[in-house]
Amino acid sequence: MRDFAWAGAIVLPCALFAVLATRMLGPLALFWPANAVLLGMLLRHPGRATPAAWLGALAAYLAADLAVGTAWLPTVWLALANLAGVGTGYLVAGRVLTDGARRLDQPRAMPSVLVVCLASAAAEALIGGAAGAVVFGRGFVASLLDWFNGQLAVAIILLPPFLAAPRRPLRLLLERLRAGPRCRREDLLPVAALALSLACAVVLGGPGVLALPVPALIWCALRYPVFPTLVLTASISVVQLFAIAVGLLRLPDSNFLYINSVMSARLGIALVALGPMAVAIVNGARNDLLRRLDHLARHDHLTGVLRRGAFFERAGAILAELAAAGRPAAVLMIDIDHFKQINDRFGHAQGDRVLAAVAAGLQAGLREGAILGRLGGEEFAVLLPAAGASEAWLAAERLRLRVAALSVPAEDGAGGSVPPLSGMSVSLGLAVADADRPPSLEALLAQADAALYAAKAAGRNRVERAA
């Protein structure tokens, strides 16, 4: 907790002050992201919401206004308004955002985030609107609507990307750069359409062009993962706001009660962004569900390794590729020795624990690229791609010794703990595919299965190679 307090007191206010500097950028103050940034940082890292962090944020708010020559009274008043908005958003998020919604991996996440944005903007506007009336001589209603409009728009635009960002985005980006480009030409089409729509908006002008990028953003939402889509949506929204501020996007002058054209456009941009963001979140949740269902269909629920059918499908495809390239391969058939005695003596629950432990031990002992599957009962199979006879033998011995070293926690019939179960062993049958005349996977497994029975006949806890 002390580390979090230091991070909140030093790192967080420094980052916040850098964002607060937009107060000094004249027309770009139309987009003031400090509160959304602070709220996003605290929601991503709740452990940093310490008293030191709040005091550090207050200092950053005060320093930003004092740096541009604002008097003390409005400086303190505005800082309290900002902190009230962030604090309200943080408290409301604690009630309406579940863990899944906080990561934006659930379809109902976006309405919950919108509630947080509305509560934060409303709390800030109540205090900030009073400051506008008392300190700056503006009407209370006009000042309140301006505050509410601005903070709501920025929160809607920035908060979702903050919540959906990966834990270590820079490390993830560097890893993907090292892995080399994997981008296909068709993957760039949604971004190209987005750029074209923005260019058309600048050329055409008028209030309707604010929605021009929506089809391209929805295309991005259906094509890309959630976080890149949210970043693209937020970026386009920010670009539109800046284009309005510097006059690139031409809007007709209008005033309806207390709402002028800029306020209307700012809120319209944010509300339009909700659509692509919601589509991205729903599509991401759907894809995640499909991946989980596929994993459940292909993997054994007890051991987590491939099921029989999935193993045959995947191993067969890899073996065919190796055969086409003229490279060798080997398969292992593995059977847990005296497994029936384990079930009879300790019960089927303990037998399940042994199966799970053996599968985990085998998986941990395999090199990258090898495939492990459970064919049924206590029998497993392994494909060792590009492995010759000597390498496959060493791999089999390594697996045998790893299982022999296992110690599996045990329970008695009443649920109490007993000494761990150890001294288990496996028998292994090995068959090697000749690179010149590779057999089918079924034939290779049949050879390995015959070698497995030879290993059991020879006393178990050993490796036998097919003749």
Side-chain angles (χ1 to χ4, degrees), residues 279-293:
V279 171
I281 293 169
V282 171
N283 192 56
R286 168 187 169 275
N287 291 337
D288 185 58
L289 177 60
L290 291 176
R291 282 191 294 269
R292 290 202 301 269
L293 291 175

Side-chain angles (χ1 to χ4, degrees), residues 196-206 209-210 212-213 240 248-250:
L196 180 61
S197 66
L198 189 61
C200 291
V202 172
V203 172
L204 296 175
V209 300
L210 297 180
L212 208 57
Q240 287 180 318
L248 284 177
L249 273 180
R250 301 180 303 276

Side-chain angles (χ1 to χ4, degrees), residues 185-197 212-226 228-230 232-233 275-277 279-280 283 287:
R185 184 175 299 176
E186 54 267 30
D187 291 333
L188 300 177
L189 292 178
V191 175
L194 195 56
L196 180 61
S197 66
L212 208 57
V214 171
L217 285 172
I218 292 178
W219 191 5
C220 293
L222 297 174
R223 184 80 183 189
Y224 303 144
V226 174
T229 301
L230 297 185
L232 284 172
T233 305
M277 288 181 174
V279 171
N283 192 56
N287 291 337

Side-chain angles (χ1 to χ4, degrees), residues 13 16 38 41 62 75 95 103 108 114 117 196 213 236 267 281 286-287 292 299 308 335 345 383 406 457-458 466:
L16 181 61
L38 178 58
M41 293 170 72
L62 295 174
T75 293
R95 292 186 173 274
R103 294 188 300 269
R108 64 176 179 272
L114 183 58
C117 296
L196 180 61
I236 288 296
L267 188 58
I281 293 169
R286 168 187 169 275
N287 291 337
R292 290 202 301 269
H299 291 77
R308 180 187 182 91
D335 191 87
R345 183 178 177 185
L383 173 68
L406 287 175

Side-chain angles (χ1 to χ4, degrees), residues 37-408:
V37 169
L38 178 58
L39 180 56
M41 293 170 72
L42 293 176
L43 292 180
R44 284 299 302 270
H45 305 283
R48 297 180 184 175
T50 61
W54 292 107
L55 288 174
L58 175 61
Y61 281 119
L62 295 174
D65 273 315
L66 292 174
V68 294
T70 307
W72 268 103
L73 177 60
T75 293
V76 173
W77 202 324
L78 295 177
L80 293 177
N82 291 323
L83 282 180
V86 175
T88 300
Y90 184 79
L91 293 175
V92 172
R95 292 186 173 274
V96 303
L97 287 181
T98 62
D99 289 340
R102 190 168 295 208
R103 294 188 300 269
L104 298 191
D105 58 1
Q106 296 178 357
R108 64 176 179 272
M110 205 60 200
S112 300
V113 172
L114 183 58
V115 170
V116 173
C117 296
L118 286 167
S120 176
E124 183 179 344
L126 286 174
I127 300 176
V134 175
V135 179
F136 300 107
R138 299 180 60 188
F140 174 73
V141 175
S143 180
L144 183 145
L145 289 176
D146 190 24
W147 274 79
F148 180 78
N149 171 281
Q151 289 307 311
L152 178 62
V154 174
I156 290 174
I157 292 170
L158 289 188
L159 200 54
F162 256 97
L163 295 178
R167 286 296 174 186
R168 294 179 176 85
L170 292 180
R171 179 183 296 182
L172 183 62
L173 178 61
L174 290 175
E175 289 175 354
R176 292 188 175 179
L177 290 176
R178 291 193 196 101
R182 293 183 297 175
C183 183
R184 297 171 296 178
R185 184 175 299 176
E186 54 267 30
D187 291 333
L188 300 177
L189 292 178
V191 175
L194 195 56
L196 180 61
S197 66
L198 189 61
C200 291
V202 172
V203 172
L204 296 175
V209 300
L210 297 180
L212 208 57
V214 171
L217 285 172
I218 292 178
W219 191 5
C220 293
L222 297 174
R223 184 80 183 189
Y224 303 144
V226 174
F227 178 62
T229 301
L230 297 185
V231 170
L232 284 172
T233 305
S235 300
I236 288 296
S237 301
V238 173
V239 168
Q240 287 180 318
L241 287 171
F242 283 4
I244 292 171
V246 299
L248 284 177
L249 273 180
R250 301 180 303 276
L251 299 176
D253 292 331
S254 64
N255 284 282
F256 177 74
L257 296 178
Y258 298 99
I259 307 296
N260 57 39
S261 59
V262 172
M263 292 172 62
S264 176
R266 184 167 54 188
L267 188 58
I269 288 171
L271 295 179
V272 162
L274 283 174
M277 288 181 174
V279 171
I281 293 169
V282 171
N283 192 56
R286 168 187 169 275
N287 291 337
D288 185 58
L289 177 60
L290 291 176
R291 282 191 294 269
R292 290 202 301 269
L293 291 175
D294 180 69
H295 184 274
L296 290 173
R298 297 174 62 83
H299 291 77
D300 178 55
H301 74 283
L302 177 62
T303 62
V305 303
L306 289 174
R307 293 178 183 267
R308 180 187 182 91
F311 175 83
F312 272 83
E313 178 186 347
R314 189 169 171 186
I318 294 176
L319 193 61
E321 293 176 2
L322 292 169
R327 303 181 68 188
V331 297
L332 300 173
M333 288 289 289
I334 306 171
D335 191 87
I336 302 175
D337 295 329
H338 305 296
F339 183 72
K340 185 177 184 301
Q341 295 180 14
I342 295 175
N343 274 336
D344 293 342
R345 183 178 177 185
F346 299 100
H348 288 279
Q350 183 62 27
D352 289 347
R353 284 190 284 269
V354 169
L355 281 171
V358 169
L362 293 174
Q363 188 72 67
L366 293 174
R367 299 190 187 281
E368 185 177 357
I371 300 172
L372 172 65
R374 183 186 178 193
L375 301 190
E378 68 273 21
E379 196 171 55
F380 298 87
V382 174
L383 173 68
L384 301 171
S390 58
E391 183 181 350
W393 183 273
L394 290 175
E397 277 294 321
R398 185 170 61 249
L399 295 178
R400 184 184 67 83
L401 294 174
R402 180 176 284 272
V403 172
L406 287 175
S407 178
V408 183

